[in-house]
């Protein structure tokens, strides 16, 4: 077992191990958590109490999570010193213990790190950002039938315009890049432009789409849609789409069918045991998710499109406070809410913790503790149905008074 400088390993508990691509989960796993910045401490406290109580409810004392605090963001700087936003031992601990959960982290405005979240994803190669978007009855939504949307977004997490390869307008580097492109490729870029490089690789696209199809198989979903802007960005988004189809043909030739085959061979109806792989252009997708939400199940996307689409879908089912997420590599998985640290609500015990609690639900399913996951989901449903909700939902429900984050979590625990 590794020794750490500031991380205290719990006395009881064991590591989650991996055998090939299978997790071996003891009854008393040690799971690292990052509390997070801003609203992080409030929503983490709420989440921990719900998860711990659900595990007791589901398994009596047979199973227990031994939480191990690890540090990132402001708390890490306090403990480890200047500019230590993401200490090396935090990354090492996640590698060692495989499964972790984190609160949101504020992006530092200075300090040599672009974004702690992006750095964490890159250092651990968490290439798939998985965001299920599903409606809970009773949640106020801006659309008429929010229950028709039930999708899982698989967003590529490591490349696209998010790699941070950028050159500031009028800088020496930007001028050199513009000069090179103009001389070598005879392509015109307006002088004074800022430059960002968009990269999308065959390797990253294929592993993401493969994971999305595996998820569809495991969860008995019938459709995987590749979402892109390949009509314009032909060699990045366009290639993402082509490599996505290639991944389906190469790894799942007997299971996957295309839209053309669906019409020609199966009269428009997906046969049992098959998964339809189709694609949609992102601008049309934003419309179709509103007009025909029931047509979609799994959405596999490049990084930026997945980022935009996740928030749009979350709005459709009632907002960011209800949107969980997971960042996954082959076996390592870090669970987190889709939203940020909402600094203006820090320490107010006000914000909706459901997104992080639902990220905990995803985590419980990932480690195979589905009984506890189901208990939590049912308790959330019951709590929301009884109109016992935080301000974000109460504001949109007539005659409903909001409750504090901790009171809401307490009611979920009561309803477990
Ligand atoms: P944000 O998601 O933190 O908050 C935007 C607004 O959304 C809030 O003011 C609030 O009105 C609402 N909101 C967010 N979470 C909510 C919840 N649980 N319940 C109810 N309402 C909620 O976005 P931001 O203000 O743009 O970002 C704040 C910081 O968080 C930035 O530093 C940003 O970089 C960072 N961030 C971190 C992550 C992450 O840790 N994964 C993700 C996004 C942003």
């Amino acid at each position: 077992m590794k020794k750490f400088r500031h991380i205290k390993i719990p006395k009881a508990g064991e590591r989650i191990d991996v055998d090939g691509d299978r997790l071996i989960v003891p009854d008393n796993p040690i799971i690292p958590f990052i509390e997070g910045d801003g609203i992080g401490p409030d929503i983490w406290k709420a989440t921990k109490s719900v998860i711990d109580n659900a595990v007791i409810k589901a398994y009596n004392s047979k199973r227990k999570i031994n939480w191990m605090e690890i540090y990132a963001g402001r708390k890490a700087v306090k403990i480890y010193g200047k500019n230590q936003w993401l200490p090396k031992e935090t990354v090492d601990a996640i590698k060692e213990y495989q499964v972790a959960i984190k609160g949101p982290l504020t992006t530092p405005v200075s300090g040599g790190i672009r974004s702690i979240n992006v750095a964490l994803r890159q250092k651990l190669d968490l290439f798939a950002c998985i965001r299920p978007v599903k409606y809970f009855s009773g949640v106020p939504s801006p659309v008429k039938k929010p229950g028709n949307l039930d999708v899982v977004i698989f967003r590529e997490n490591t490349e696209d315009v998010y790699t941070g390869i950028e050159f500031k307008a009028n800088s020496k580097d930007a001028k050199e890049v513009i000069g090179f492109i103009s001389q070598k490729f005879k392509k015109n870029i307006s002088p004074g432009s800022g430059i960002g490089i968009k990269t999308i690789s065959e390797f990253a696209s294929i592993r993401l789409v493969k994971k999305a199809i595996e998820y569809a198989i495991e969860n008995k979903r019938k459709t995987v849609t590749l979402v892109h802007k390949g009509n314009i960005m032909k060699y990045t988004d366009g290639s993402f789409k082509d490599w996505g189809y290639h991944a389906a043909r190469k790894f799942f030739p007997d299971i996957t069918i295309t839209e053309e085959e669906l019409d020609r061979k199966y009269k428009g109806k997906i046969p049992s045991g098959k998964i339809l792989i189709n694609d949609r252009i992102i601008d049309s997708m934003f419309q179709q998710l509103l007009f025909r939400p029931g047509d979609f199940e799994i959405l596999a996307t490049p990084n930026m499109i997945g980022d935009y689409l996740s928030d749009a879908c979350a709005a459709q089912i009632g907002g960011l406070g209800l949107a969980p997420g997971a960042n996954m590599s082959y076996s390592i998985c870090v669970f987190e809410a889709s939203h940020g640290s909402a600094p203006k609500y820090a320490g107010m015990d006000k914000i909706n913790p459901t997104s992080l609690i639902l990220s905990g639900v995803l985590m419980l399913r990932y480690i195979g503790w589905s009984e506890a996951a189901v208990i939590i989901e049912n308790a959330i449903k019951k709590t929301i149905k009884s109109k016992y909700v935080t301000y974000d939902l109460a504001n949109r429900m007539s005659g409903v008074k909001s409750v504090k984050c901790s009171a809401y979590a307490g009611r979920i625990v009561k309803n477990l």
Side-chain angles (χ1 to χ4, degrees), residues 91-265:
V91 178
D92 289 346
I94 300 175
K95 278 187 194 154
E96 169 101 358
Y97 290 86
Q98 303 287 334
V99 175
I101 185 163
K102 67 174 272 291
L105 294 165
T106 302
T107 301
V109 275
S110 61
I113 191 162
R114 246 184 125 77
S115 154
I116 308 168
N117 297 300
V118 174
L120 193 63
R121 289 168 195 169
Q122 287 175 348
K123 281 181 198 289
L124 292 165
D125 195 26
L126 302 170
F127 64 86
C129 176
I130 303 166
R131 289 180 171 169
V133 185
K134 196 175 159 186
Y135 181 64
F136 281 93
S137 174
V139 171
S141 152
V143 299
K144 282 186 183 152
K145 292 184 179 166
N148 288 354
L149 185 73
D150 181 3
V151 295
V152 182
I153 298 165
F154 274 71
R155 163 187 169 196
E156 203 292 321
N157 232 354
T158 63
E159 46 183 33
D160 200 348
V161 279
Y162 285 39
T163 50
I165 309 172
E166 290 196 307
F167 305 99
K168 195 171 177 188
N170 297 314
S171 65
K172 184 171 164 282
D173 288 349
K175 284 179 187 162
E176 272 184 33
V177 174
I178 292 172
F180 174 73
I181 289 174
S182 134
Q183 275 168 27
K184 175 88 183 168
F185 302 107
K186 312 284 176 248
K187 305 260 186 195
N188 229 355
I189 299 174
S190 301
S193 296
I195 309 277
I197 305 284
K198 176 172 171 116
T199 60
I200 289 196
S201 71
E202 179 176 13
F203 168 72
S205 305
I206 285 183
R207 70 177 176 173
L208 186 269
V209 175
K210 182 167 176 272
K211 209 166 186 74
I213 298 174
E214 282 165 354
Y215 180 94
I217 295 169
E218 276 163 29
N219 292 278
K220 303 196 172 18
R221 296 293 194 115
K222 308 279 295 171
T223 307
V224 175
T225 304
L226 311 167
V227 191
H228 59 89
K229 186 70 186 172
N231 54 330
I232 305 294
M233 291 176 268
K234 295 186 193 307
Y235 302 131
T236 47
D237 279 33
S239 298
F240 172 85
K241 174 198 71 175
D242 294 341
W243 289 322
Y245 280 120
H246 174 73
R249 275 195 306 273
K250 180 168 174 195
F251 298 106
F252 312 97
D254 302 330
I255 297 175
T256 54
I257 57 168
T258 61
E259 227 154 26
E260 185 271 323
E261 284 173 302
L262 179 70
D263 292 336
R264 183 167 50 81
K265 283 197 199 162

Side-chain angles (χ1 to χ4, degrees), residues 319-387:
L320 279 176
L322 296 139
N327 295 293
M328 206 178 273
S329 74
Y330 297 100
S331 62
I332 297 173
C333 196
V334 179
F335 295 84
E336 66 169 351
S338 292
H339 58 74
S341 58
K344 71 177 178 184
Y345 295 106
M348 291 168 72
D349 191 17
K350 183 171 175 165
I351 213 92
N352 188 348
T354 312
S355 43
L356 193 58
I357 297 173
L358 287 173
S359 305
V361 166
L362 295 180
M363 185 189 82
L364 290 168
R365 287 222 161 84
Y366 185 65
I367 63 171
W369 295 12
S370 302
E371 298 82 1
V374 171
I375 288 177
I376 297 177
E377 274 183 335
N378 288 338
I380 292 174
K381 279 182 200 159
K382 196 168 168 190
T383 307
I384 292 175
K385 220 170 186 170
S386 68
K387 302 193 175 173

